[in-house]
Amino acid sequence: MTSISGDTGVAARLHAQHGPALTIGKECDLPDDLVIELAHGASLTIGDHVSIRRGTTIQVHHGATVSIGDYVAIGENTFLSAMAGIRLGEGCTLSNHVELHDHNHRERSAANVPSGQLRPWTSAFEVAPIVVEPGAILSNKVSVTAGVRIGANALVGASAVVSHSIPPETADADVPATVRRYVDGTALPVIEDRRALTVGFFGTSIMEHLEGYNAQLTDQANLPEVGSKVTVEGWHQRGWVHRLALGLRAGFPHVTFDIRNHGVGGATSRDVAEIVGRDRTADGVDYDLVFLGCGINDVWRGFQGRTAEAVGIEEYTSHINAMLAQLAGYSRRVVVISETPFGPVEAPETVREMNAELARYNETAAEAAAEQGALFLDVWSPFTAAAQQLASAPVGHETAGLWSDGVHLSELGDTLFLRQAEHFLAEHRTVEKLLDYPRLERDLALQTYGPMFAPYRPARA
């Protein structure tokens, strides 16, 4: 049996029980046995034309928020439990026996349970919001875990466990839920709080990769005549970083990427460490993903006879560890990138000596990354292998090299670097994991995610 919220039935009883902490819109279809549990400071908003079937429980803990948009349909025996916040977008559907929990028990480690008590909840909870965007459909017996965002018009198959965020307009299934195919959906709504990731790059000219720019050179309808002259209007950053940024935007079109390339030509680890420090002081930006790479100029300066600018291995070790420690404080994931080997910049025997020295710096970087919980991307090995294979090609075959001058990369070198970076991100599912909201201790989660749910809380609640 159901009751329309405009009547004096279910809605009146719930309003009398919960007061201004509960808002129910017009023409809602609510069951007599709907259970709503609102702790102190909690807020539940139910939009217009919402349908909820029998056996459903909505549990909102202290200070948390649950927002149910207009025209949402919730099936039988569904359970929603929020310690930070759950938001169901307009027109989404939750079928029968669906469960959404924005919190998990923390592990019973010594840090979480210093007293060692064997009692429920002594390890407390880790908490992160759940967002179901407009038009998404969750089939029977779907479970959604903390920190997940389900994209607009997505369809999640029966009995799936959604433990990571799902893109819009996809059909997803299995445990854990993964994309099976893309859905040719209706027009997507504008998502005002679109997911955004900030990606930073700190390194040398291998990252900076400046190219001269003139607008006419990129205007296919108005290219300059062959043999004519154009004026360099400025410098654009290109190379593998630019192409990786394009790949991220193409691969995750539902995400906004804020790309910040702080690569500087000629920089040693001493210079990059200063850049990292200045960036935090000047901008105070928190990064979702950071790529850090330096060392090639530390070595090269010594072989160039510029000893005052050269950076020895001990100083380099100090810089790389200091940067990793600093970046860890405001970056969710840091990837240390090995330097590429030197190409034919000097006589072969000198290049071999330079590369032997540079390999020591890469080993140090790998050790520092492991010690400080960062990932390490080795591009040295694939570059070495590719250079040897290109050098062994017979006459008449492809002769393009990996370097433009023995240090800076050619288009082929940039492409090889790009392939390694993209494969690395895919292998570790780095971006996919970053799209989940970080799970935090309960009180910190309420503080961190409170602004995200403030627009969905009644002013009087």
Side-chain angles (χ1 to χ4, degrees), residues 366-429:
E367 292 170 0
E371 290 172 1
Q372 303 213 32
L375 297 174
F376 184 75
L377 169 56
D378 174 26
V379 296
W380 179 280
S381 298
F383 262 81
T384 300
Q388 292 174 340
Q389 293 162 27
L390 289 169
S392 67
V395 176
H397 285 249
E398 176 63 59
T399 58
L402 301 175
W403 298 271
S404 61
D405 57 7
V407 178
H408 302 96
L409 302 181
S410 66
E411 285 192 348
L412 184 62
D414 270 325
T415 302
L416 177 57
F417 207 129
L418 174 68
R419 286 174 59 86
Q420 297 306 310
E422 290 183 328
H423 176 76
F424 184 87
L425 293 178
E427 179 185 17
H428 291 274
R429 300 191 74 247

Side-chain angles (χ1 to χ4, degrees), residues 33-35 52-58 74-79:
D33 65 347
L34 174 62
V35 176
I52 301 177
R53 312 310 294 171
R54 64 185 179 182
T56 290
T57 297
I58 303 174
I74 298 177
E76 296 181 358
N77 300 307
T78 291
F79 192 91

Side-chain angles (χ1 to χ4, degrees), residues 428-441:
H428 291 274
R429 300 191 74 247
T430 304
V431 176
E432 289 87 345
K433 292 176 181 178
L434 289 173
L435 291 176
D436 298 340
Y437 296 103
R439 298 174 182 177
L440 308 173
E441 184 276 328

Side-chain angles (χ1 to χ4, degrees), residues 67-155:
S67 172
I68 300 174
D70 298 342
Y71 295 98
V72 168
I74 298 177
E76 296 181 358
N77 300 307
T78 291
F79 192 91
L80 279 65
S81 182
M83 286 189 177
I86 295 173
R87 194 173 86 234
L88 306 181
E90 180 179 355
C92 70
T93 299
L94 278 60
S95 193
N96 302 325
H97 299 277
V98 171
E99 295 200 6
L100 280 69
H101 294 257
D102 76 344
H103 50 280
N104 303 317
H105 286 277
R106 295 195 299 180
E107 62 183 18
R108 290 185 54 83
S109 64
N112 293 336
V113 193
S115 63
Q117 292 177 321
L118 291 175
R119 298 178 186 174
W121 307 297
T122 52
S123 60
F125 297 89
E126 55 181 16
V127 181
I130 292 173
V131 175
V132 182
E133 292 183 0
I137 300 173
L138 279 59
S139 302
N140 289 334
K141 299 182 180 180
V142 167
S143 294
V144 182
T145 64
V148 163
R149 185 170 182 131
I150 297 175
N153 292 345
L155 170 62

